[in-house]
Amino acid sequence: MSLLSYFFGTKQKTASVAKERLSLIIAHERGTNRTPDFLPALQRELIEVISKYVNVGVDDIKVQLEKQDNCEILEVNITLPEQPK
Amino acid sequence: MARVIVVTSGKGGVGKTTTSASISTGLALRGFKTAVIDFDVGLRNLDLIMGCERRVVYDLINVVNGEANLNQALIKDKHCENLFVLPASQTRDKDALTEDGVEKVLKDLTHMGFEYVVCDSPAGIERGAVMALTFADDAFIVTNPEVSSVRDSDRILGILQSKSRRAIEGREPVKEHLLVSRYSPKRVEDGEMLSYKDVQELLRIPLIGVIPESDDVLQASNQGTPAIHLKDSDVATAYQDVVARYLDEERPLRFVNYEKPGLLKRLFGGK
């Protein structure tokens, strides 16, 4: 086997490296660049509602839409302020 | 309306203009009255590839601005009866291209009896490229089997799916066709180049054809003859196949397999 691999080479082919890199970057960019238009509005309204009850700022709420294969995940992350006293 | 085909890619130098010239010629040779429009305002090129650069008097912007009518601006192709070229302006700045203006040109072409309008998009994702794809019914995504081209094609697909009229109005989406160009079966075989299957898997749109890498393309552009006209050329045959598949004819893929040399040759000769 080692003799064969000496002749034919076992180094990973550059085309497969390219494919790997592309599948990662494209998946990532599809997630970030194709966010639907409602996200900023959703974020704004969430802040309005939550700030009625808790004192939160604009930066305390993160809304993200991630895509994995055929499944979309809406991730809402709210950081509550530390309790005074 | 005439069927509007945009030839786009994001990245430059992948073969958009070569493809626009050959596809429009192919449709005209099939008997369809076809117009091909250069949207690359500022960097006119299609006229050179079509070999009509010395007959340009008026251009797309003149028509949009009402300074000339379509009959004055359209240049009849020297090879095909049914083919007309609308060149880009070299001098105006690209903000002169308006959505209403382009829409009017497409409507007027329809009234003149054109069945297909091929829009040759400029590279990039700026105004000119967006204008070229706005009214598209079909999109040919020209992609080289190479990382930056594939990534840019994915970007332009995103724009197509958000900024085209069909997307905005919620109609049936623009029909996307992947055209892999500058393909070298030997390098794919050697693991040096992404295969067309890899590209298709990454971009996830239907494949309409593979155009092999060939010296003939330069020979064609040197002479101002669309590559599809070349005699005994793989590129010409590949483009004819693409046009046939676009018109729903079955054509098996050609020029995608490399004839492997035997074991002895691999051991004793070459790499």
Side-chain angles (χ1 to χ4, degrees), chain B residues 188-203:
Chain B
V188 173
E189 181 77 28
D190 291 345
E192 291 176 18
M193 184 181 264
L194 291 165
S195 72
Y196 69 90
K197 286 177 188 154
D198 290 337
V199 177
Q200 194 186 4
E201 208 177 294
L202 287 160
L203 294 176

Side-chain angles (χ1 to χ4, degrees), chain A residues 13-62:
Chain A
K13 295 288 169 56
T14 56
S16 53
V17 177
K19 192 180 177 191
E20 255 178 60
R21 292 174 59 212
L22 274 169
S23 43
L24 282 174
I25 193 71
I26 285 178
H28 175 75
E29 286 174 348
R30 279 187 185 162
T32 51
N33 292 333
R34 295 188 196 175
T35 48
D37 299 339
F38 65 78
L39 278 193
L42 176 68
Q43 183 162 7
R44 227 176 15 250
E45 285 176 37
L46 277 174
I47 291 166
E48 276 173 33
V49 173
I50 294 169
S51 57
K52 277 185 193 169
Y53 305 95
V54 195
N55 186 20
V56 288
V58 186
D59 298 333
D60 297 330
I61 299 182
K62 297 258 185 300

Side-chain angles (χ1 to χ4, degrees), chain B residues 13-228:
Chain B
V14 299
K16 282 184 298 297
T17 304
T18 302
T19 299
S20 299
S22 286
I23 297 298
S24 54
T25 299
L27 289 167
L29 288 173
R30 294 296 193 104
F32 297 105
K33 191 171 180 188
T34 306
V36 56
I37 308 180
D38 190 349
F39 274 79
D40 204 345
V41 176
L43 293 170
R44 169 198 294 171
N45 272 323
L46 179 68
D47 55 339
L48 275 175
I49 301 301
M50 301 293 295
C52 64
E53 69 278 5
R54 289 171 57 189
R55 290 189 286 147
V56 175
V57 182
Y58 296 109
D59 56 54
L60 175 61
I61 302 293
N62 290 135
V63 177
V64 166
N65 290 344
E67 296 153 359
N69 65 39
L70 271 173
N71 279 316
Q72 293 171 296
L74 285 171
I75 305 170
K76 193 175 165 304
D77 183 64
K78 58 183 177 188
H79 305 285
C80 303
E81 199 54 37
N82 305 318
L83 182 58
F84 293 82
V85 183
L86 185 53
S89 167
Q90 262 183 320
T91 49
R92 312 300 182 88
D93 100 300
K94 43 182 168 283
D95 293 335
L97 213 53
T98 62
E99 212 168 281
D100 293 344
V102 175
E103 189 171 22
K104 183 164 186 304
V105 169
L106 294 173
K107 279 198 174 133
D108 290 349
L109 286 170
T110 306
H111 289 142
M112 291 168 73
F114 280 93
E115 291 158 284
Y116 287 100
V117 179
V118 177
C119 302
D120 183 23
S121 172
I125 51 174
E126 305 294 321
R127 189 185 184 83
V130 175
M131 282 300 143
L133 64 77
T134 298
F135 299 97
D137 300 304
D138 289 282
F140 279 65
I141 311 295
V142 184
T143 309
N144 292 167
E146 174 271 325
V147 286
S148 47
S149 176
V150 174
R151 181 199 218 173
D152 290 357
S153 291
D154 192 64
R155 287 294 306 279
I156 211 79
L157 282 169
I159 292 168
L160 204 57
Q161 288 156 14
S162 61
K163 294 199 175 159
S164 62
R165 270 289 167 91
R166 280 176 174 268
I168 290 169
E169 291 171 0
R171 283 184 287 147
E172 193 188 326
V174 178
K175 203 166 171 205
E176 297 154 346
H177 309 271
L178 174 63
L179 184 65
V180 177
S181 63
R182 309 199 65 168
Y183 196 73
S184 168
K186 165 141 192 355
R187 304 197 72 183
V188 173
E189 181 77 28
D190 291 345
E192 291 176 18
M193 184 181 264
L194 291 165
S195 72
Y196 69 90
K197 286 177 188 154
D198 290 337
V199 177
Q200 194 186 4
E201 208 177 294
L202 287 160
L203 294 176
R204 298 186 208 160
I205 58 172
L207 181 78
I208 194 153
V210 176
I211 310 296
E213 168 82 73
S214 167
D215 297 344
D216 298 346
V217 174
L218 181 62
Q219 305 255 32
S221 75
N222 285 344
Q223 307 169 65
T225 306
I228 197 169

